[in-house]
Amino acid sequence: MMAETYVRHVQLLGFEKRFFPSQHYVYMLLVKWSDLTEKLIYRTYPEIYTFHKSLKEMFPIEAGKIEKRDRIIPSLSAPPWLDSQKSTETRQTTLSDYCHSLVNLPPHISRCTHLTGFFTVRPEDENPPSPNILKRNETFVVSKDLARGNVSEISGPIILDMYRAIADYTKTTKYEINLHAGDQVEIVEKNQNGWWFCQCDSKRGWVPASYLEPLDGPEESEEAEPDYGGELYITIKAYKAEQEDEITLDLGESIEVIHKLLDGWWVVRKGEETGYFPSMFLQKANKREQSESSRANVQGHKPPPRRSTIRNAKSIHNKSRQRLSQDTYRRNSRRYLHQKGGQVVKPDPYPRNVAKSPLRERRNQGNIPEESSTISENEGKREAPVIPPRPSPELILQRCSDNTRKKISIHKSSSASTSKPGQA
């Protein structure tokens, strides 16, 4: 069976020596897909060899099991009993050639679901691994000249996006890199969680996207427009709002994502409330079977800092990124839902087990007591749509256009003139 999205090429970036749960080596592979996305994945050599053996079993003719002359699947040597750093390093050229041969096999092999599934991002690939307090991981990167040679051999040269740091950034884990304002970096992978894998001179590591800006202009064009129809997600980790434009959500809540932003802070909608929420704590609602592994994967991880919290940020662009306010998101959401024919259900002022966000607390600074009702009353109210009250004539005159205001005044004057004879 062939997959709709297939692998266009695989670039070997290097390998990493890890010590948890025991010492082992993983290869860093940059996978480029037919839909123009790029993903960084980590695979051990035994995993690659196990995949290789199963691929041969799926295609025995192309593996040369019937006739050796018919073999087109590349060869791969079995892993040694005891893997070493030297064998891992010397094997890199072989792996590059193997990946090059794989993606150039006939489509019924190179685009089969087994091959695409192996190179698909796993939950443990999505976020930087948690720090190991016992021993530091060691990363070994292929030299730039060698890497470019491999890429050219596989699929032609790759031009990585160039960005610059808008402020100094000090790494908080060994998987990140330090940056100084003005440093130029190449982007290897743009992760949706707001952590980008970058190369700065000879250093490689994760950096918050909020500290970076493109060299050629503001990155508004890279970000999709808001989708007020919303995409259903569930929270895999609770988060309490720290700023007034953020939203507090508990574990397991269903929300709608209406705007995906590059810095990893997405705008979500819960009832009529909207706010920023860390995307790394969200998972698509139709992937509940992965919720346990994803939930365990985000434990110990922190969301990237928001750009609004960065001090002394210095941009080289005259035009800065334009951000919509939460009032605008809420207003546009209501307008979209009403135009679609649906009605907005007003949320409870204090949902059970959910802390109030700073924005909600700020709205009630006058300590005005809010109406309370029983659970059964609330459930009854939710069944009927909430119809917004009709605005008063004074409010309509205040907000309407000049042309409408003139027409209304003309209509009033004509009505007054026609009613006078009757009054006499």
Side-chain angles (χ1 to χ4, degrees):
M1 182 177 179
M2 295 175 58
E4 294 182 1
T5 306
Y6 57 90
V7 178
R8 289 204 300 140
H9 77 260
V10 180
Q11 176 190 356
L12 178 66
L13 299 181
F15 64 93
E16 191 171 87
K17 184 179 181 180
R18 296 183 176 177
F19 301 93
F20 183 82
S22 60
Q23 179 176 308
H24 64 286
Y25 298 88
V26 292
Y27 288 100
M28 304 161 58
L29 303 170
L30 181 64
V31 184
K32 197 159 190 177
W33 295 83
S34 58
D35 60 359
L36 303 183
T37 58
E38 300 178 10
K39 296 296 179 182
L40 180 67
I41 66 172
Y42 299 87
R43 298 292 183 267
T44 65
Y45 189 76
E47 285 180 307
I48 299 174
Y49 184 72
T50 301
F51 155 76
H52 170 71
K53 289 200 303 180
S54 58
L55 189 68
K56 288 168 56 181
E57 292 174 359
M58 290 182 63
F59 302 98
I61 297 177
E62 292 85 347
K65 290 188 175 182
I66 310 300
E67 292 286 344
K68 289 186 177 181
R69 62 186 179 184
D70 295 331
R71 176 163 188 167
I72 57 175
I73 294 179
S75 301
L76 195 66
S77 58
W81 286 102
L82 184 62
D83 216 357
S84 65
Q85 180 175 321
K86 185 175 182 180
S87 62
T88 303
E89 186 174 357
T90 56
R91 200 187 289 131
Q92 290 183 110
T93 303
T94 302
L95 272 182
S96 292
D97 294 339
Y98 179 77
C99 293
H100 166 65
S101 300
L102 274 184
V103 297
N104 284 284
L105 287 173
H108 71 283
I109 302 178
S110 62
R111 302 184 186 183
C112 71
T113 55
H114 181 61
L115 188 145
T116 56
F118 177 75
F119 288 105
T120 299
V121 175
R122 299 171 181 171
E124 56 267 26
D125 298 325
E126 285 286 348
N127 297 305
S130 297
N132 183 354
I133 60 175
L134 300 177
K135 208 167 186 180
R136 296 169 61 92
N137 288 358
E138 301 173 9
T139 303
F140 301 86
V141 180
V142 177
S143 67
K144 188 179 292 188
D145 293 336
L146 179 59
R148 286 177 177 169
N150 289 337
V151 172
S152 177
E153 181 181 349
I154 293 174
S155 61
I158 296 178
I159 301 176
L160 299 178
D161 293 334
M162 293 294 298
Y163 278 67
R164 71 177 291 276
I166 62 171
D168 294 343
Y169 176 72
T170 303
K171 64 180 182 180
T172 57
T173 72
K174 61 193 172 195
Y175 303 101
E176 305 167 25
I177 58 174
N178 294 321
L179 289 179
H180 296 288
D183 282 351
Q184 296 187 9
V185 300
E186 292 179 303
I187 309 299
V188 178
E189 182 194 2
K190 294 179 179 180
N191 201 306
Q192 283 191 329
N193 62 16
W195 288 99
W196 290 4
F197 195 79
C198 307
Q199 174 175 298
C200 181
D201 297 329
S202 61
K203 303 179 296 182
R204 289 199 184 199
W206 298 93
V207 173
S210 53
Y211 275 77
L212 302 174
E213 67 176 3
L215 294 178
D216 53 354
E219 62 264 42
E220 293 155 315
S221 59
E222 297 184 67
E223 295 179 337
E225 292 297 319
D227 176 17
Y228 293 103
E231 193 173 352
L232 197 59
Y233 276 74
I234 59 172
T235 57
I236 57 175
K237 188 177 180 180
Y239 175 77
K240 184 176 181 180
E242 297 180 358
Q243 298 188 52
E244 65 177 20
D245 56 357
E246 298 174 3
I247 188 170
T248 295
L249 294 173
D250 270 346
L251 171 67
E253 291 203 56
S254 295
I255 53 89
E256 293 171 303
V257 174
I258 60 176
H259 201 183
K260 297 180 177 180
L261 301 172
L262 290 176
D263 62 2
W265 288 83
W266 292 355
V267 181
V268 305
R269 180 173 61 209
K270 178 74 173 178
E272 277 194 336
E273 286 295 317
T274 65
Y276 290 107
F277 193 83
S279 64
M280 66 190 307
F281 297 160
L282 295 173
Q283 178 182 273
K284 282 191 176 182
N286 59 356
K287 294 184 178 180
R288 291 184 179 272
E289 66 279 0
Q290 297 181 3
S291 60
E292 291 298 329
S293 59
S294 299
R295 196 175 302 165
N297 195 45
V298 298
Q299 296 303 320
H301 295 294
K302 65 182 188 305
R306 293 182 55 192
R307 179 162 292 196
S308 58
T309 65
I310 301 175
R311 298 181 178 179
N312 301 322
K314 297 178 181 178
S315 173
I316 60 174
H317 305 298
N318 295 327
K319 181 182 177 182
S320 60
R321 298 189 306 176
Q322 298 296 321
R323 292 291 193 187
L324 299 177
S325 67
Q326 291 304 319
D327 286 337
T328 302
Y329 282 119
R330 281 188 287 273
R331 185 169 59 251
N332 291 341
S333 288
R334 285 193 293 268
R335 183 183 299 121
Y336 172 85
L337 293 174
H338 285 305
Q339 288 176 351
K340 191 178 178 182
Q343 299 292 340
V344 181
V345 178
K346 190 173 182 180
D348 295 336
Y350 295 100
R352 294 190 300 274
N353 301 326
V354 180
K356 291 189 296 181
S357 68
L359 182 60
R360 195 176 292 161
E361 292 175 351
R362 183 177 164 188
R363 287 178 177 173
N364 199 21
Q365 287 179 345
N367 293 325
I368 302 173
E370 302 188 31
E371 296 180 0
S372 61
S373 58
T374 62
I375 295 176
S376 60
E377 289 174 344
N378 282 339
E379 291 175 350
K381 289 179 181 177
R382 289 195 188 102
E383 294 177 358
V386 178
I387 301 175
R390 180 179 178 83
S392 64
E394 293 77 11
L395 183 61
I396 294 176
L397 284 174
Q398 181 183 352
R399 296 186 177 180
C400 68
S401 63
D402 293 337
N403 291 333
T404 304
R405 196 177 292 111
K406 289 179 181 178
K407 290 180 181 179
I408 292 176
S409 61
I410 294 172
H411 178 73
K412 280 185 176 181
S413 59
S414 61
S415 299
S417 61
T418 55
S419 62
K420 285 180 181 179
Q423 292 174 355

